[in-house]
């Protein structure tokens, strides 16, 4: 089964930084867009950032200029460097293969990694 494992979350102060990692599996990794999503209690998963197999990135307006997505195809890894964190970035972050319109391909989510930003 295709698996995506998130790590790197934790506690940060407002204005701080964190680096999230997504370890991916599957033979389509190198050519497939991978996206980060986040979820807060009571809400649906929100698109955060995506990156194509060739390294072309796109971001939600809420994180543009602050977050940077990157990938290492040789090691099947995707990263999310988060800078200038805000309390509203607090959420559980997930990665997933991405379909059109930033929607996730896999019908399931991993455990995610929790990010908490203190005021």
């Amino acid at each position: 089964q295709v698996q995506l494992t998130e790590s790197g979350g934790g506690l940060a102060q407002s204005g701080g930084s964190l680096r999230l990692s997504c370890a991916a599996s599957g033979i389509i990794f190198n050519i497939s867009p991978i996206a980060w999503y986040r979820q807060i209690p009571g809400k649906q998963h929100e698109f955060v950032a995506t990156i194509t197999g060739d390294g072309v990135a796109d971001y939600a307006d809420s994180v543009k200029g602050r977050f940077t997505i990157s990938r290492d195809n040789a090691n099947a890894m995707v990263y999310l460097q988060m800078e200038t964190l805000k309390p509203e970035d607090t959420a559980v972050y997930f990665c997933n293969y991405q379909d059109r319109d930033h929607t996730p391909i896999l019908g399931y989510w991993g455990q995610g990694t929790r990010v908490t930003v203190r005021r």
Side-chain angles (χ1 to χ4, degrees), residues 6-116:
E6 303 90 347
S7 62
L11 178 65
Q13 300 294 323
S14 181
S17 63
L18 286 171
R19 181 174 180 259
L20 307 184
S21 298
C22 172
S25 64
I27 60 174
I28 64 172
F29 174 81
N30 287 348
I31 62 172
S32 298
I34 305 291
W36 284 96
Y37 305 83
R38 63 189 181 187
Q39 183 184 41
I40 62 176
K43 295 187 177 181
Q44 295 184 347
H45 292 77
E46 173 193 13
F47 168 77
V48 175
T50 187
I51 186 167
T52 70
D54 293 330
V56 179
D58 193 23
Y59 302 89
D61 289 341
S62 59
V63 306
K64 285 182 179 178
R66 300 188 299 117
F67 292 8
T68 302
I69 188 171
S70 61
R71 67 191 294 162
D72 179 357
N73 288 341
N75 292 294
M77 297 288 292
V78 177
Y79 304 98
L80 186 68
Q81 181 68 40
M82 306 187 295
E83 305 284 352
T84 319
L85 285 165
K86 303 176 180 180
E88 50 263 46
D89 295 319
T90 296
V92 179
Y93 285 71
F94 304 84
C95 57
N96 207 318
Y97 290 94
Q98 183 200 290
D99 206 343
R100 61 183 179 180
D101 300 323
H102 297 162
T103 58
I105 290 179
L106 300 180
Y108 53 88
W109 301 92
Q111 293 185 1
T113 186
R114 185 179 301 275
V115 171
T116 302

